[in-house]
Amino acid sequence: MADKVQDFLRQLFQRAVEVADPMKSLAAYLPEKPAGRVVVIGAGKASARMAEAVEAVWGPCDGLVITRYGYGRPCQSIEIVEAAHPVPDAAGLEATRRLLDLVGGLGEETFILALISGGASALLTAPAGEITLVEKQAVNQALLASGAPIGQMNVVRKHLSRVKGGQLAAAAYPATMLALLLSDVPGDDPAEIGSGPTVGDASSAEDVKAILTRWKIDVPASVEAVLNGPTGVLDPADEKLSRVTNTVFAAPSQSLEAAKALAEERGCEVEILGDALEGEAREVAAEHAALALKKQAERQADSQPLLLLSGGELTVTRRGDGVGGPNAEYALALAAALNGAPGIHAIACDTDGVDGAAEVAGAVIGPETPARAAKAGRVMRDALGNNDAHGFFADIGDQVVTGPTLTNVNDFRAIWIE
């Protein structure tokens, strides 16, 4: 029974991924290919797949798209460059320079299609002022380890960049631009997707300083110099953003609804807890464990199974030196809180196939998890204390490994309650 339930949870995750595949979802948002010059640009973990989807409709196009290593796709003429994520590298730096050169100096008659998905924050790399790539990498790593919410991370990233916070669109002005966005952020705010390269932002350098102080992130003098002067982030009302249209074509809510429909077809009652959950992974897991136990206690013996679905983007404050990520840590903390409670199984995965520091989507857990841990010589609380969730699930054989999914609509969590 346990294997069947966990196989079903994996099917739900796969359904959530499939519905967000740009090859299935993007074409409906493409206009007819404009006459005159058309340039396709983009960045993100799903951007190469998005470019592939564009050329399936429009045919060969000029352009340059930056994606994560291993996420490239065979396009007809759009150039695909692979670079590092989540910490930027020299390949991303050079590709971003070329992308800015490509859009610079274009006239009103040019139509630019910008393809932006989660991951663009790291892949679009153009440090502001005198900030070096090494310094940018250090700040990015500190943000990732701090436990700061993604929205606050993005505020910092925008003001330390020459391409985020509307600056990519400004570089292309006065060309007409349509930005198609695949959302991986709570609330689907276009300004937060990939740190908003085509969207203005009302935050200030003072906001960045407050965030760095709040999360105890030390920065070099070059970063302080940028924050002590005017940064390049554009106000949303700036004239240079007047020729841009931003459209979200796929979002976490759509994937959760698709999973819900499949679960209902299989006889489950379904509750969606939200598609924009944020917070510390282990704390949210503890709340969900208590909720699952409460729901189970309230149900009649002959009730159909109940499925709790949720999405969003959780964070991890790094305290140990293990290999982890927010989905695996959520799953581990959930298993620890449930401690083998009968009839409750769960899955937690990132829809891009990569959870934190491992090429692993996430993990499944169930009543047998404590026994499997004991057999493998692992202690759940010790692994949690060392942020070693991926190491833990690798040892007990309950990882979910998909490889590159070519999309990214953030976390997917499902709890099955008998």
Side-chain angles (χ1 to χ4, degrees):
M1 176 62 181
D3 288 344
K4 288 184 178 180
V5 172
Q6 293 191 0
D7 284 346
F8 177 60
L9 292 176
R10 290 171 185 264
Q11 291 173 29
L12 291 177
F13 172 59
Q14 186 59 38
R15 178 61 180 144
V17 170
E18 288 172 353
V19 78
D21 184 346
M23 291 297 287
K24 298 179 180 179
S25 55
L26 185 142
Y29 292 83
L30 273 180
E32 290 188 14
K33 188 175 183 180
R37 187 179 183 193
V38 174
V39 176
V40 178
I41 60 173
K45 284 177 275 189
S47 61
R49 184 66 158 178
M50 294 162 73
E52 184 182 16
V54 168
E55 289 194 327
V57 178
W58 280 2
C61 298
D62 292 334
L64 173 64
V65 165
I66 311 168
T67 194
R68 190 180 193 268
Y69 289 122
Y71 283 60
R73 295 298 296 165
C75 289
Q76 299 173 54
S77 60
I78 297 172
E79 182 183 357
I80 306 298
V81 177
E82 297 184 358
H85 177 278
V87 178
D89 68 355
L93 185 72
E94 172 60 16
T96 303
R97 182 195 64 77
R98 291 180 55 209
L99 192 149
L100 288 170
D101 287 345
L102 177 63
V103 302
L106 297 178
E108 294 183 10
E109 71 284 356
T110 302
F111 181 89
I112 300 175
L113 179 66
L115 308 173
I116 306 297
S117 74
S121 290
L123 295 164
L124 281 175
T125 305
E130 300 299 320
I131 301 171
T132 67
L133 177 60
V134 171
E135 291 169 336
K136 179 88 169 184
Q137 290 170 330
V139 171
N140 211 47
Q141 288 174 320
L143 284 169
L144 291 168
S146 70
I150 187 63
Q152 293 187 25
M153 290 189 202
N154 285 346
V155 170
V156 176
R157 289 164 171 165
K158 290 176 185 182
H159 288 272
L160 303 185
S161 171
R162 293 188 293 110
V163 70
K164 302 176 180 72
Q167 294 179 82
L168 176 60
Y173 182 83
T176 299
M177 178 181 288
L178 169 63
L180 294 182
L181 312 172
L182 196 159
S183 175
D184 71 328
V185 298
D188 306 326
D189 182 354
E192 298 299 329
I193 301 168
S195 296
T198 62
V199 186
D201 191 284
S203 65
S204 68
E206 293 304 313
D207 294 325
V208 176
K209 293 177 183 179
I211 293 168
L212 294 173
T213 299
R214 163 69 179 82
W215 297 101
K216 300 180 175 62
I217 297 172
D218 294 326
V219 296
S222 59
V223 170
E224 292 180 352
V226 168
L227 297 178
N228 287 332
T231 70
V233 172
L234 279 77
D235 184 274
D238 195 289
E239 172 67 20
K240 291 182 178 179
L241 300 176
S242 63
R243 297 181 63 82
V244 182
T245 300
N246 292 287
T247 301
V248 176
F249 74 91
S253 59
Q254 297 163 358
S255 289
L256 290 181
E257 288 294 339
K260 177 183 178 182
L262 177 57
E264 289 176 339
E265 287 176 11
R266 303 288 180 86
C268 293
E269 181 183 341
V270 182
E271 294 183 20
I272 295 180
L273 303 179
D275 61 17
L277 273 63
E278 295 183 276
E280 188 77 21
R282 63 182 65 192
E283 295 174 3
V284 175
E287 294 170 3
H288 285 185
L291 176 63
L293 291 169
K294 179 176 181 292
K295 293 280 187 182
Q296 188 180 55
E298 293 171 348
R299 299 181 71 74
Q300 300 297 318
D302 59 350
S303 298
Q304 62 192 132
L306 173 64
L307 192 73
L308 304 179
L309 295 176
S310 63
E313 185 160 16
L314 305 182
T315 54
V316 171
T317 300
R318 190 166 178 80
R319 301 173 177 88
D321 58 2
V323 179
N327 285 281
E329 182 148 317
Y330 168 92
L332 179 55
L334 186 69
L338 291 171
N339 196 29
I344 302 179
H345 302 256
I347 188 170
C349 292
D350 198 315
T351 54
D352 64 12
V354 179
D355 180 44
E359 302 295 307
V360 178
V364 291
I365 65 108
E368 72 288 348
T369 300
R372 293 168 71 87
K375 184 177 179 180
R378 296 298 303 254
V379 177
M380 288 189 287
R381 293 291 181 185
D382 290 350
L384 195 59
N386 196 37
N387 298 119
D388 193 31
H390 282 307
F392 173 88
F393 286 113
D395 286 346
I396 72 169
D398 283 336
Q399 290 182 313
V400 178
V401 182
T402 62
T405 64
L406 308 177
T407 191
N408 183 18
V409 287
N410 230 317
D411 299 343
F412 175 87
R413 293 176 294 274
I415 302 175
W416 165 287
I417 303 168
E418 293 177 19

